DNA sequence: ATTACTACTAAACGAGTAC
DNA sequence: TGTACTCGTTTAGTAGTAA
């Protein structure tokens, strides 16, 4: 099933829920449904059959109409839609933001930091992966991307606490799960005291991103930062 | 614009919101959007044009992508979707329930009650219309409809307070806005001490429903009861 | 009454392409 | 690059109708 079909199903499901098929059984004839949705009776019938096939609804056809109840998978779908909307409407923080920039070689400082076991342990704990020992540096070029990266700093983050050792102190690090190049899961990390500014992203991942995505200095790369975790 | 088209637009709008176009401007290329939604770049482009046409989004096309921000009408649409879902998910009360029954002639008691000025005043205040002096009595025939009408009694209602006069006391009356025969706005009224049981609906409206909908005893009629007001 | 099949029509989609 | 046009193809929607 393609995604757009799923969406139409979801619309149908929402309408059925509005008509009382959520957490109870509703008697709805295909003709009535069609009238409510602005479709033909035949289309409504076809949709119900499809919803039944993918187990989103339970249906008992009677000569008096269909007795319809939304089943657990359908309830899950509606819940997901609801929580997506909730985030958008109530937090004013978008679930994800995509930035684009060019790959460049840094000073190797990122690698130094995440090699520290105090950081590494926490990163594994918070992100669920052991970071490859090195960061991918991405230079943001457009005003839009730089402005957006500044916005992100204000969003709630996964926080990795600082610490001290004999030599010096290490500050708080904020992490945002991210998808790099549309494929690889990793994270944006921002040291509170960074050598770079808002126009530079430092990315970590369980794998070597340069190898995995075949990136070389100067290549463009998209980083989708996730704000909900 | 038909309703199904609107729904596809709404899906698009939701996706744009998830990508950060809600309350801020997001830079999204048609190709990126297409990939996220699972259709072609051309379709994404077409959709954006349509969204722009109906003022749901504001867009500035640049050689680097489209700068997209959801405009007020679009925000309203998302809000409506959100509040619809909220009602379904959090109250467990469906926004509307449709019952069907047959018209019959009662004892004229309904008419007597709503002729009382104490009731009438309150009804006008709560429902926004002056009821035609008479009720439409609807007999529910199926177990499903009777069961559902019992459910409705537990839902929050518009309450019309009782009163006393020289002769006797009049009890609390609960009202639910309703759409009768798919067309006419009116209300279901249930006296706490009714002569009828859960298998009978008493309906009022600003007009004579029998005339307006051309109903005679024994005719079937659908009553859509609204639980949110 | 309903539901849903078949056959057809209308609309949406996407490949190619120009800007 | 990116966007959006044309136009052939695919898919969704409906009318008629049987069960």
């Amino acid at each position: 099933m393609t995604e757009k079909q799923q969406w139409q199903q979801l619309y149908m499901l929402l309408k059925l829920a509005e008509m009382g098929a959520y957490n109870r059984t509703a008697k709805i004839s295909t003709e009535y449904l069609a009238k409510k949705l602005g479709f033909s009776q035949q289309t409504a019938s076809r949709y119900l059959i499809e919803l039944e096939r993918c187990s989103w609804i339970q249906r008992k056809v009677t000569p008096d109409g269909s007795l319809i109840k939304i089943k657990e998978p359908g309830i899950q779908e509606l819940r997901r839609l609801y929580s997506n909307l909730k985030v958008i409407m109530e937090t004013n923080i978008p679930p994800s933001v995509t930035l684009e920039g060019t790959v460049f070689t840094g000073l190797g400082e990122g690698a130094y930091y995440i090699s520290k076991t105090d950081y590494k342990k926490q990163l594994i704990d918070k992100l669920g992966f052991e970071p490859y020992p090195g960061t991918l540096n991405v230079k943001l070029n457009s005003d839009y991307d730089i402005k957006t990266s500044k916005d992100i700093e204000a969003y709630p983050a996964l926080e990795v606490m600082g610490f001290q050792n004999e030599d010096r102190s290490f500050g708080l690090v904020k992490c945002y799960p991210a998808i790099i190049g549309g494929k690889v899961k990793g994270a944006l990390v921002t040291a509170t005291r960074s050598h770079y500014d808002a126009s530079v992203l430092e990315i970590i991942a369980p794998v070597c991103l340069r190898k995995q995505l075949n990136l070389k200095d100067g290549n463009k790369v998209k980083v989708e930062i996730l704000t909900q975790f």
Side-chain angles (χ1 to χ4, degrees), chain A:
Chain A
M1 190 187 299
T2 75
E3 214 178 313
K4 49 202 151 177
Q5 277 174 331
Q6 277 211 37
W7 182 244
Q8 292 172 330
Q9 313 262 36
L10 196 55
Y11 174 52
M12 189 78 163
L13 203 65
L14 177 63
K15 288 296 173 185
L16 291 172
E18 286 175 2
M19 292 178 192
Y22 189 83
N23 280 351
R24 47 185 292 288
T25 300
K27 187 167 72 182
I28 302 168
S29 75
T30 53
E31 196 178 345
Y32 182 74
L33 183 58
K35 205 177 121 214
K36 285 272 167 194
L37 301 189
F39 292 126
S40 67
Q41 175 271 321
Q42 292 88 338
T43 300
S45 169
R46 196 160 42 78
Y47 272 44
L48 285 178
I49 293 168
E50 284 163 15
L51 283 172
E52 208 176 356
R53 284 230 177 93
C54 65
S55 302
W56 284 11
I57 62 165
Q58 186 171 60
R59 186 165 70 128
K60 177 148 177 75
V61 177
T62 78
D64 200 41
S66 295
L67 294 171
I68 296 167
K69 185 173 181 179
I70 297 175
K71 287 174 69 178
E72 193 50 35
I75 289 172
Q76 295 296 343
E77 291 296 326
L78 287 174
R79 258 203 249 286
R80 218 173 56 193
L81 178 63
Y82 179 55
S83 69
N84 284 177
L85 265 166
K86 196 181 190 122
V87 168
I88 294 165
M89 308 299 288
E90 302 203 337
T91 69
N92 269 340
I93 293 174
S96 83
V97 174
T98 301
L99 299 177
E100 189 180 37
T102 52
V103 174
F104 74 101
T105 301
L107 302 169
E109 296 230 338
Y112 170 71
Y113 280 90
I114 62 172
S115 69
K116 297 287 158 196
T117 47
D118 300 71
Y119 276 140
K120 194 146 79 178
K121 273 185 180 171
Q122 289 187 73
L123 287 171
I124 294 169
D125 182 45
K126 306 264 179 179
L127 296 171
F129 64 80
E130 181 175 342
Y132 173 87
T135 62
L136 182 76
N137 297 296
V138 177
K139 175 75 183 171
L140 304 177
N141 303 115
S142 76
D143 289 346
Y144 166 80
D145 289 291
I146 293 165
K147 189 182 173 309
T148 304
S149 91
K150 280 179 188 158
D151 290 347
I152 289 168
E153 282 176 32
Y155 297 166
L158 296 169
E159 299 197 336
V160 171
M161 294 307 163
F163 59 92
Q164 296 205 355
N165 69 6
E166 315 81 55
D167 305 325
R168 50 167 290 193
S169 70
F170 294 81
L172 175 76
V173 171
K174 298 208 287 180
C175 301
Y176 302 86
I179 294 165
I180 302 95
K183 289 185 196 136
V184 185
K185 285 183 189 175
L188 166 70
V189 290
T190 56
T192 314
R193 281 187 248 151
S194 174
H195 289 177
Y196 299 118
D197 55 65
S199 77
V200 169
L201 305 180
E202 287 197 88
I203 313 289
I204 60 173
V207 296
C208 176
L209 289 165
R210 279 179 182 259
K211 275 188 199 155
Q212 194 80 16
L213 297 168
N214 194 29
L215 293 170
K216 292 175 180 38
D217 278 8
N219 285 169
K220 284 195 175 179
V221 66
K222 277 196 166 69
V223 180
E224 182 181 359
I225 290 131
L226 309 176
T227 63
Q228 309 295 324
F229 27 84

